């Protein structure tokens, strides 16, 4: 396999399973596309930390009102701007991310890794940490203020380039929701193309 996709895991994988995946990425130049969901879904935090990825325990809410144009509410942040990366290069279409948590580069990033943010929510959003209530309001002492990263890409060089050939790299892409490419949203705006 060249790429492993884990989408919307409902339970935490066994450590041995994650070791197989880590070996696949560290020794065989594999790729992993990990589509997480907010709590109570697993965060894969212990697996992702050595890869320089921080998974926040929140739900990103977008109160800009832009979602109303698409018939959505604050639990579906819209993205209209993208960071500079080969995945998002020249990507201009609007995308939206239903029920997403924030994903960001950890600090400091472990040596030998490059961790890039792919896109963020807008300024009128926040990462709500009080997930046990139906009422939400921004709390500057607990919640992350937007714009907040919603996806990252990680690159790890397994073998440097030489006369024998180009560098061998492993790659991981992590998003905070598994819902953006489902059948209901795949044809809408740029979601399918981004996936």
């Amino acid at each position: 396999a060249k790429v492993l996709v884990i989408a919307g895991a409902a339970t935490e994988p066994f450590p041995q399973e994650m070791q197989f995946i880590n070996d696949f990425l560290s020794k065989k130049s594999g790729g992993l596309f990990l589509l997480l969901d907010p709590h109570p879904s697993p965060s894969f935090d212990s697996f992702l930390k050595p890869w320089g990825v921080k998974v926040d325990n929140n739900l990103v809410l977008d109160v800009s009102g832009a979602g109303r144009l698409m018939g959505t509410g604050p639990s579906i942040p819209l993205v209209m701007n993208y960071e500079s990366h080969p995945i998002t290069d020249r990507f201009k279409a609007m995308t939206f991310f239903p029920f997403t948590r924030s994903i960001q580069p950890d600090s400091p990033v472990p040596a030998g890794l490059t961790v890039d943010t792919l896109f963020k929510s807008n300024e009128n959003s926040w990462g709500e940490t009080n997930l046990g209530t139906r009422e939400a309001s921004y709390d500057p002492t607990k919640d992350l203020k937007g714009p907040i990263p919603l996806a990252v890409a990680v690159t790890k060089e397994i073998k440097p380039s030489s006369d024998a050939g180009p560098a061998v790299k492993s790659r991981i892409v992590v998003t905070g929701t598994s819902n953006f490419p489902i059948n209901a949203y795949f044809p809408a705006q740029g979601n399918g193309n981004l996936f």
Side-chain angles (χ1 to χ4, degrees), residues 12 41 84 96 99 120 127 140 184:
E12 198 75 47
S41 296
S84 178
F96 53 100
F99 304 102
K120 298 177 182 178

Side-chain angles (χ1 to χ4, degrees), residues 21-109:
I21 293 170
N22 202 52
D23 290 347
F24 167 70
L25 293 167
S26 297
K27 298 174 184 171
K28 304 194 190 269
S29 72
L32 173 64
F33 191 11
L34 184 56
L35 295 91
L36 301 176
D37 288 316
H39 182 79
S41 296
S43 68
F44 287 75
D45 188 55
S46 59
F47 171 76
L48 290 170
K49 190 163 185 58
W51 286 89
V53 178
K54 182 180 177 200
V55 179
D56 297 313
N57 189 21
N58 59 23
L59 178 68
V60 179
L61 299 175
D62 178 351
V63 292
S64 67
R68 280 184 248 159
L69 299 172
M70 300 291 301
T72 66
S75 62
I76 305 180
L78 294 178
V79 173
M80 293 183 265
N81 298 306
Y82 302 87
E83 305 297 313
S84 178
H85 190 273
I87 292 173
T88 54
D89 185 36
R90 296 177 305 196
F91 193 82
K92 304 275 189 240
M94 180 171 45
T95 52
F96 53 100
F97 297 85
F99 304 102
T100 187
R101 66 165 80 204
S102 58
I103 307 288
Q104 55 188 312
D106 202 1
S107 182
V109 172

